[in-house]
Amino acid sequence: MAWLVALDGGFSGKRFVLETTFLVGRGPFNHLVLDDSTISRQHAKVAPEGGTHVAYDLGSANGTFVNNQLIKRQVLSAGDEVRFGPFRFRFEVAFNEDLALRGRGKVEEVTRLGFEVPSKIVGEVDAQSNHTLIATGGLAELEESERRLRTLFSFVHAIAATLDADALLNLIVANLFEAFPRARVAAVYTLDEPTGAMEPLRTEQREGGVLPSSPLPAELYTELVMRGKALLSVPFSLDMGEEMLESGPRSKRADAMVMHAPMVYRGNVLGVLNVRGEPGETFSQGDLDLLAALASHTGIALQNARLHQQSLVQQRLQRDLTVAQQIQKSFLPLSLPRPPGISFNADYKPALAIGGDFYDVFWLTHDRIGCTIGDVSGKGVSAALVMARVSSDLRTALVTEATPALAMAQANRELCARGQHDIFVTAVALVLEVSTRKVTLANAGHMPPYVRQREEGRLLRIDAGASSPLGLFADLPFVETTIQLQSGDALVLTTDGVHEATNTREEQLGFEGVERALAGGSSEAAALAARLLAAVKAHAAGCDQYDDLTLLICGVE
C-alpha cells in the first residue's frame, strides 16, 4: 500500500491512496483536483509499475518535482517529497522489513569495493621525495625539471592534433605512458553531470588491452572533484595474474601506487587523470606535479573537443529540424473544404520549430465533413512524432467508425497500447452535416469549443460531453454532444496555447480574454480568427510564445 500525504494547503495531513493510476491536475476529472492557476489541467500522474510507484509529469506548465528536482519520470522511494506547483506531498509506503535488510546488505557490499585504504593528500606524503631531491644537489633537480618541461610540451603538442573525442582519448592515454615510464595502467575519468559521478572513459594497460573499470571511489571524490586537489595514494593491491603453487593456481598480487589529478577548466572539474604504477615502483611529488600540469591541459583539450562536437551536433539538428518542419506541415491540410454556405479558417503556430498541436478537416461523404483538433502533452520533436501518429489515427477512425465517440475510443485504445505512459493527448473530433448544419462532437479533455451566435454576438461555451484525455485509460468511454448551427453562427475550436498566452506579469489571457475577443465584431470565420490572434499578440506584448497555438473556426453563412 502507498499514499501521498499532503504537507501544506487545504489538504494538509490528508492521505491519498495510490491503488491505481492516480491523476493530479486542475481539471475536474483528476483524482486530486488542485484549483490553482499554476497547476495544469492534466499536471501529473503517479502509477504503480513493477512493484514500485512512478511519478510522471504530463507536460505541465510549471513542472513536477521530486525532492526539489524537476522530473519527467521518477521512481519514488519512501519519504520522497513530491511537489506539483506549490503543493507539497510526501510519498509513503508500507514498510517491508525483509526488503530493507536485503537493501542494507547490498549497500555494504558495494561499499567494500574499490581501494582498500583511503588515499592521502599529496602534501602529507611529500617530505621524503623532497629530501631526496635536495640531497642529490641542484643540478639533478634542474635536469629533472627540464625533463618534465619537455614532457609537458610534447604532451600538449600531441593532444592538440585532433578535435575528435575518441582520437583525443587515445592520444591522452598513449602520452601518459610516454610521460611516466613506470606506469602500468592509465585511465581517464569524466564527470557525468546528471548523476555527479566520475565515470571512466578509458582504462588501458601498457602492454595493451582495455581494462574493466568502475566509477571513481567515493573516498577520493571529495578531494579530487570538490576541492580540485591532486592525490598520491598509498599502495594498493594489484592483480598480477596467477602463479602455480603446490596447492594449485592462486592469484598473484603485488603493491602498486596510483596518482590522480583533476582536469580543471575555468574553475570546474571536468574529469580526472589516473596513473597506476608498476608493482614495487613509487611516484614522487615531482611526478604528481607533472600529472597535475598534464591534467590542466587535458581539460582544455577535452572541452574544446566537446564544443566542436556540440557545434557539429547543432548543425545536424538544425538540418533535421528543417526537414521535420516540412514533414509535419505535410500532416496538416493543404487546403480546407469549401462546401456551399460554410467557410473554414485555421491557423497553426508551434512554440518551437515543430510542435504537438494538430488539426484536420476532410470530407467523409458528399454531405459529411470530419474535423479534429488536438494537443499532445509536451513540445518539440517528441510531441511532433506523437502528433503525426494520433492525427492519422483519428482521421482513420472517423472514416471507419459510425460516430465521433466511437472514433475517439478507437484512437485512445491504439495510443494506450503503445505503452507511452508519460504522454497523453487532448482532442476534439466532430462530424458536420453540411445540409442540416448539425454538428456531433466528442471531447477528450480538450479546451471547450465555443459557438459564436449571430444574435447580439452571444457566446455559447460547449462544456458538455468532455471526457478524459487520450492515452490515460484504455477502456475509457467517450460521450457526444450535438450542436445545431444557425445562419451566421460560427463554431470556434482552439488549443490551450490561445488561453495560456502569458505576458510579462505572468498573467494568462484566460477564458475571459478569449471570450472578449470572440464577443465583439463580426461572426465571420476569418474575422473571428483575426481578432483571436490579435488578442493573443496584444496580451503577450512581445513575450515569447510559451505553448503551441492552433485554432480552427467553422462559419455558417
Side-chain angles (χ1 to χ4, degrees), residues 207-234:
E207 58 268 25
V210 176
L211 293 175
S213 52
S214 57
L216 194 71
E219 60 266 27
L220 304 178
Y221 189 91
T222 299
E223 298 297 329
L224 285 166
V225 179
M226 306 303 293
R227 300 178 182 174
K229 291 186 177 182
L231 301 177
L232 180 62
S233 77
V234 297

mmCIF file of all heavy atoms in Angstrom, residues 207-234:
data_model
loop_
_atom_site.group_PDB
_atom_site.id
_atom_site.type_symbol
_atom_site.label_atom_id
_atom_site.label_comp_id
_atom_site.label_asym_id
_atom_site.label_seq_id
_atom_site.Cartn_x
_atom_site.Cartn_y
_atom_site.Cartn_z
ATOM 1 N N GLU A 207 50.810 -2.857 -21.688
ATOM 2 C CA GLU A 207 51.022 -3.951 -22.639
ATOM 3 C C GLU A 207 49.856 -4.135 -23.591
ATOM 4 O O GLU A 207 49.846 -5.039 -24.411
ATOM 5 C CB GLU A 207 51.302 -5.256 -21.893
ATOM 6 C CG GLU A 207 50.203 -5.689 -20.931
ATOM 7 C CD GLU A 207 50.434 -5.162 -19.524
ATOM 8 O OE1 GLU A 207 51.128 -4.121 -19.382
ATOM 9 O OE2 GLU A 207 49.948 -5.795 -18.577
ATOM 10 N N GLY A 208 48.851 -3.284 -23.471
ATOM 11 C CA GLY A 208 47.723 -3.341 -24.407
ATOM 12 C C GLY A 208 46.488 -3.930 -23.763
ATOM 13 O O GLY A 208 46.564 -4.726 -22.847
ATOM 14 N N GLY A 209 45.341 -3.514 -24.278
ATOM 15 C CA GLY A 209 44.081 -4.041 -23.790
ATOM 16 C C GLY A 209 43.355 -3.074 -22.881
ATOM 17 O O GLY A 209 43.973 -2.402 -22.047
ATOM 18 N N VAL A 210 42.041 -2.993 -23.078
ATOM 19 C CA VAL A 210 41.204 -2.123 -22.257
ATOM 20 C C VAL A 210 40.766 -2.889 -21.020
ATOM 21 O O VAL A 210 40.324 -4.035 -21.104
ATOM 22 C CB VAL A 210 39.971 -1.643 -23.043
ATOM 23 C CG1 VAL A 210 39.059 -0.811 -22.168
ATOM 24 C CG2 VAL A 210 40.413 -0.846 -24.275
ATOM 25 N N LEU A 211 40.891 -2.258 -19.849
ATOM 26 C CA LEU A 211 40.532 -2.902 -18.591
ATOM 27 C C LEU A 211 39.113 -2.522 -18.178
ATOM 28 O O LEU A 211 38.675 -1.389 -18.409
ATOM 29 C CB LEU A 211 41.492 -2.466 -17.485
ATOM 30 C CG LEU A 211 42.948 -2.931 -17.607
ATOM 31 C CD1 LEU A 211 43.753 -2.302 -16.481
ATOM 32 C CD2 LEU A 211 43.033 -4.440 -17.531
ATOM 33 N N PRO A 212 38.389 -3.454 -17.544
ATOM 34 C CA PRO A 212 37.105 -3.070 -16.945
ATOM 35 C C PRO A 212 37.358 -2.120 -15.790
ATOM 36 O O PRO A 212 38.345 -2.234 -15.084
ATOM 37 C CB PRO A 212 36.522 -4.402 -16.465
ATOM 38 C CG PRO A 212 37.705 -5.290 -16.274
ATOM 39 C CD PRO A 212 38.705 -4.884 -17.322
ATOM 40 N N SER A 213 36.472 -1.166 -15.602
ATOM 41 C CA SER A 213 36.684 -0.186 -14.550
ATOM 42 C C SER A 213 35.347 0.256 -13.983
ATOM 43 O O SER A 213 34.295 -0.005 -14.543
ATOM 44 C CB SER A 213 37.460 1.024 -15.084
ATOM 45 O OG SER A 213 36.827 1.520 -16.256
ATOM 46 N N SER A 214 35.403 0.936 -12.834
ATOM 47 C CA SER A 214 34.218 1.395 -12.124
ATOM 48 C C SER A 214 34.369 2.881 -11.832
ATOM 49 O O SER A 214 35.451 3.450 -11.997
ATOM 50 C CB SER A 214 34.056 0.601 -10.831
ATOM 51 O OG SER A 214 35.214 0.731 -10.035
ATOM 52 N N PRO A 215 33.269 3.551 -11.412
ATOM 53 C CA PRO A 215 33.367 4.974 -11.101
ATOM 54 C C PRO A 215 34.420 5.262 -10.041
ATOM 55 O O PRO A 215 34.823 4.382 -9.275
ATOM 56 C CB PRO A 215 31.960 5.314 -10.592
ATOM 57 C CG PRO A 215 31.076 4.290 -11.214
ATOM 58 C CD PRO A 215 31.902 3.041 -11.291
ATOM 59 N N LEU A 216 34.853 6.493 -9.976
ATOM 60 C CA LEU A 216 35.868 6.923 -9.023
ATOM 61 C C LEU A 216 35.408 6.621 -7.596
ATOM 62 O O LEU A 216 34.274 6.926 -7.224
ATOM 63 C CB LEU A 216 36.105 8.425 -9.178
ATOM 64 C CG LEU A 216 37.345 9.006 -8.523
ATOM 65 C CD1 LEU A 216 38.592 8.551 -9.258
ATOM 66 C CD2 LEU A 216 37.263 10.519 -8.496
ATOM 67 N N PRO A 217 36.251 5.986 -6.771
ATOM 68 C CA PRO A 217 35.848 5.659 -5.398
ATOM 69 C C PRO A 217 35.421 6.897 -4.620
ATOM 70 O O PRO A 217 35.978 7.981 -4.772
ATOM 71 C CB PRO A 217 37.113 5.036 -4.803
ATOM 72 C CG PRO A 217 37.870 4.518 -5.982
ATOM 73 C CD PRO A 217 37.593 5.484 -7.099
ATOM 74 N N ALA A 218 34.447 6.697 -3.756
ATOM 75 C CA ALA A 218 33.870 7.815 -3.006
ATOM 76 C C ALA A 218 34.900 8.503 -2.119
ATOM 77 O O ALA A 218 34.846 9.717 -1.912
ATOM 78 C CB ALA A 218 32.690 7.318 -2.167
ATOM 79 N N GLU A 219 35.865 7.721 -1.578
ATOM 80 C CA GLU A 219 36.843 8.316 -0.657
ATOM 81 C C GLU A 219 37.788 9.288 -1.365
ATOM 82 O O GLU A 219 38.487 10.068 -0.720
ATOM 83 C CB GLU A 219 37.650 7.226 0.061
ATOM 84 C CG GLU A 219 38.443 6.314 -0.863
ATOM 85 C CD GLU A 219 37.663 5.049 -1.199
ATOM 86 O OE1 GLU A 219 36.425 5.093 -1.172
ATOM 87 O OE2 GLU A 219 38.311 4.029 -1.485
ATOM 88 N N LEU A 220 37.845 9.229 -2.700
ATOM 89 C CA LEU A 220 38.683 10.168 -3.447
ATOM 90 C C LEU A 220 37.892 11.344 -3.996
ATOM 91 O O LEU A 220 38.462 12.376 -4.347
ATOM 92 C CB LEU A 220 39.353 9.446 -4.623
ATOM 93 C CG LEU A 220 40.200 8.220 -4.306
ATOM 94 C CD1 LEU A 220 40.744 7.621 -5.600
ATOM 95 C CD2 LEU A 220 41.336 8.578 -3.367
ATOM 96 N N TYR A 221 36.588 11.192 -4.084
ATOM 97 C CA TYR A 221 35.753 12.154 -4.815
ATOM 98 C C TYR A 221 35.839 13.557 -4.211
ATOM 99 O O TYR A 221 35.998 14.544 -4.927
ATOM 100 C CB TYR A 221 34.303 11.669 -4.816
ATOM 101 C CG TYR A 221 33.398 12.465 -5.728
ATOM 102 C CD1 TYR A 221 33.201 12.080 -7.047
ATOM 103 C CD2 TYR A 221 32.736 13.601 -5.261
ATOM 104 C CE1 TYR A 221 32.374 12.808 -7.881
ATOM 105 C CE2 TYR A 221 31.912 14.331 -6.090
ATOM 106 C CZ TYR A 221 31.733 13.930 -7.396
ATOM 107 O OH TYR A 221 30.913 14.657 -8.231
ATOM 108 N N THR A 222 35.748 13.653 -2.896
ATOM 109 C CA THR A 222 35.711 14.969 -2.263
ATOM 110 C C THR A 222 36.968 15.766 -2.552
ATOM 111 O O THR A 222 36.910 16.942 -2.941
ATOM 112 C CB THR A 222 35.519 14.821 -0.743
ATOM 113 O OG1 THR A 222 34.279 14.152 -0.502
ATOM 114 C CG2 THR A 222 35.507 16.183 -0.068
ATOM 115 N N GLU A 223 38.144 15.126 -2.375
ATOM 116 C CA GLU A 223 39.397 15.849 -2.586
ATOM 117 C C GLU A 223 39.616 16.206 -4.052
ATOM 118 O O GLU A 223 40.050 17.309 -4.376
ATOM 119 C CB GLU A 223 40.580 15.018 -2.072
ATOM 120 C CG GLU A 223 40.548 14.733 -0.583
ATOM 121 C CD GLU A 223 40.631 16.018 0.235
ATOM 122 O OE1 GLU A 223 41.268 16.970 -0.235
ATOM 123 O OE2 GLU A 223 40.064 16.059 1.341
ATOM 124 N N LEU A 224 39.323 15.262 -4.945
ATOM 125 C CA LEU A 224 39.597 15.489 -6.360
ATOM 126 C C LEU A 224 38.591 16.422 -7.014
ATOM 127 O O LEU A 224 38.971 17.356 -7.739
ATOM 128 C CB LEU A 224 39.606 14.151 -7.109
ATOM 129 C CG LEU A 224 40.828 13.254 -6.903
ATOM 130 C CD1 LEU A 224 40.554 11.849 -7.408
ATOM 131 C CD2 LEU A 224 42.048 13.835 -7.609
ATOM 132 N N VAL A 225 37.313 16.166 -6.796
ATOM 133 C CA VAL A 225 36.267 16.884 -7.525
ATOM 134 C C VAL A 225 35.801 18.117 -6.767
ATOM 135 O O VAL A 225 35.693 19.202 -7.347
ATOM 136 C CB VAL A 225 35.074 15.944 -7.804
ATOM 137 C CG1 VAL A 225 33.971 16.687 -8.545
ATOM 138 C CG2 VAL A 225 35.531 14.733 -8.600
ATOM 139 N N MET A 226 35.545 17.983 -5.474
ATOM 140 C CA MET A 226 35.016 19.109 -4.716
ATOM 141 C C MET A 226 36.100 20.135 -4.396
ATOM 142 O O MET A 226 35.828 21.339 -4.364
ATOM 143 C CB MET A 226 34.368 18.611 -3.417
ATOM 144 C CG MET A 226 33.305 17.536 -3.626
ATOM 145 S SD MET A 226 31.959 18.069 -4.721
ATOM 146 C CE MET A 226 31.215 19.330 -3.694
ATOM 147 N N ARG A 227 37.326 19.668 -4.147
ATOM 148 C CA ARG A 227 38.409 20.586 -3.772
ATOM 149 C C ARG A 227 39.450 20.774 -4.858
ATOM 150 O O ARG A 227 40.316 21.634 -4.740
ATOM 151 C CB ARG A 227 39.084 20.082 -2.490
ATOM 152 C CG ARG A 227 38.123 19.997 -1.307
ATOM 153 C CD ARG A 227 38.810 19.458 -0.068
ATOM 154 N NE ARG A 227 37.857 19.333 1.043
ATOM 155 C CZ ARG A 227 38.136 18.791 2.212
ATOM 156 N NH1 ARG A 227 39.361 18.316 2.433
ATOM 157 N NH2 ARG A 227 37.209 18.719 3.154
ATOM 158 N N GLY A 228 39.410 19.972 -5.906
ATOM 159 C CA GLY A 228 40.326 20.136 -7.028
ATOM 160 C C GLY A 228 41.763 19.818 -6.711
ATOM 161 O O GLY A 228 42.685 20.394 -7.296
ATOM 162 N N LYS A 229 42.027 18.873 -5.772
ATOM 163 C CA LYS A 229 43.393 18.529 -5.374
ATOM 164 C C LYS A 229 43.898 17.307 -6.123
ATOM 165 O O LYS A 229 43.137 16.384 -6.390
ATOM 166 C CB LYS A 229 43.451 18.260 -3.874
ATOM 167 C CG LYS A 229 43.234 19.489 -3.005
ATOM 168 C CD LYS A 229 43.451 19.141 -1.554
ATOM 169 C CE LYS A 229 43.308 20.383 -0.675
ATOM 170 N NZ LYS A 229 43.556 20.057 0.741
ATOM 171 N N ALA A 230 45.196 17.302 -6.436
ATOM 172 C CA ALA A 230 45.844 16.095 -6.961
ATOM 173 C C ALA A 230 46.212 15.194 -5.792
ATOM 174 O O ALA A 230 46.578 15.677 -4.719
ATOM 175 C CB ALA A 230 47.077 16.465 -7.768
ATOM 176 N N LEU A 231 46.125 13.862 -5.990
ATOM 177 C CA LEU A 231 46.339 12.916 -4.899
ATOM 178 C C LEU A 231 47.337 11.835 -5.291
ATOM 179 O O LEU A 231 47.365 11.391 -6.439
ATOM 180 C CB LEU A 231 45.023 12.242 -4.495
ATOM 181 C CG LEU A 231 43.880 13.133 -4.021
ATOM 182 C CD1 LEU A 231 42.649 12.293 -3.750
ATOM 183 C CD2 LEU A 231 44.284 13.904 -2.780
ATOM 184 N N LEU A 232 48.118 11.420 -4.312
ATOM 185 C CA LEU A 232 49.005 10.268 -4.453
ATOM 186 C C LEU A 232 48.584 9.253 -3.404
ATOM 187 O O LEU A 232 48.673 9.506 -2.208
ATOM 188 C CB LEU A 232 50.467 10.696 -4.228
ATOM 189 C CG LEU A 232 51.527 9.599 -4.342
ATOM 190 C CD1 LEU A 232 51.550 9.013 -5.744
ATOM 191 C CD2 LEU A 232 52.901 10.163 -3.985
ATOM 192 N N SER A 233 48.052 8.103 -3.856
ATOM 193 C CA SER A 233 47.509 7.143 -2.907
ATOM 194 C C SER A 233 48.615 6.312 -2.284
ATOM 195 O O SER A 233 49.701 6.161 -2.839
ATOM 196 C CB SER A 233 46.527 6.208 -3.602
ATOM 197 O OG SER A 233 47.214 5.233 -4.354
ATOM 198 N N VAL A 234 48.291 5.751 -1.110
ATOM 199 C CA VAL A 234 49.174 4.756 -0.531
ATOM 200 C C VAL A 234 49.086 3.505 -1.384
ATOM 201 O O VAL A 234 48.162 3.332 -2.166
ATOM 202 C CB VAL A 234 48.759 4.452 0.919
ATOM 203 C CG1 VAL A 234 48.887 5.684 1.775
ATOM 204 C CG2 VAL A 234 47.347 3.907 0.982
#
